[in-house]
Amino acid sequence: LANVPWANSLGIGILISAYASAKRENATVALCAVPERVLKVLKICGVVPTVFEVHADAEKAVATLG
C-alpha cells in the first residue's frame, strides 16, 4: 500500500471484501508498507490489528503467511 496516499470507506470496504474472500478459501490477507495516514484510518475503523496484520514490507508480510 506504499503508493496509497489516503483511504475512504470505499477503499476499506474493498479490503474487507478481499479479507472475506480469502477467509472463504482458508487464506490470509496481510498489509504491508502502509502509509501513516492510511494506517490511522484503518485503526479508526477498527480493522487494524483485529482484521489485518500490518508489516513493514512485502517480504515480512509473506513470511508471516506461512
Side-chain angles (χ1 to χ4, degrees), residues 10-21:
L10 178 61
I12 304 297
I14 290 169
L15 289 173
I16 300 264
S17 179
Y19 168 80
S21 294

Side-chain angles (χ1 to χ4, degrees), residues 37-57:
R37 185 175 182 182
V38 175
L39 185 58
K40 285 180 184 178
V41 172
L42 293 169
K43 287 179 178 179
I44 289 168
C45 292
V47 297
V48 168
T50 57
V51 176
F52 297 107
E53 291 184 18
V54 177
H55 303 278
D57 56 49

